[in-house]
Amino acid sequence: MSTETMSIFSPQLAAKFDALVLKYPVKRSALVPMLLYAQDEIGYVSDAVIAEIADRLSITPLDVRNVATYYSMLRFKPVGKYNVQVCTNISCMLRGAYDLFDHLQGTLGIGHKGVTADGVFSLEEVECIGACCWAPAIQVNYDFHDELTNDKVDAVLATYRAKAKGATTNA
Ligand code: FES
């Protein structure tokens, strides 16, 4: 598939994929980066994402799914505009990650893998995100927030709420 044919991706991402497959001696080596870029743009690894990537790599959708389901950072259902990932691994757990997670569940009114009714936030408990020295830590999309308390995390959520509101207002 090339940018000239129908794609579910933006022209920019389709062009990026065209270039990416040429970088590897074996086309299917581009699979994981393609899935990550696709997820960033579409929000999750949908059936349509799987079908187009399979087509671009000349492999079957089942081949794509078999690889994709191995990676916990890939998701198969839509998440909120801001996906809040709370690390509850050992360092974070010892420094109150479960209190933080409970607090977030209460504040957002959703549980693990839930999405708020307005679609702004989703919440999930995850393994180590590599910020152990600054535990407890969370990741919101690609932003890290660390050394958190309940009050600090409320302030973090408020900034994302304001951003989401701004995006709606400016739309
Ligand atoms: S244990 Fe939480 S970031 Fe590593």
Side-chain angles (χ1 to χ4, degrees), residues 86-92 126-133 139 144:
V86 183
C87 170
T88 53
N89 239 169
I90 191 73
S91 301
C92 290
V126 294
E127 299 298 325
C128 181
I129 53 176
C132 323
C133 292
Q139 191 176 6
F144 280 92

Side-chain angles (χ1 to χ4, degrees), residues 56-73:
R56 286 174 172 275
L57 297 178
S58 308
I59 57 179
T60 68
L62 185 60
D63 291 330
V64 175
R65 212 173 276 282
N66 283 342
V67 172
T69 50
Y70 181 77
Y71 292 94
S72 61
M73 71 281 202

Side-chain angles (χ1 to χ4, degrees), residues 33 35 86 98 106-107 110 158:
L35 285 165
V86 183
Y98 278 110
T107 304
I110 54 177

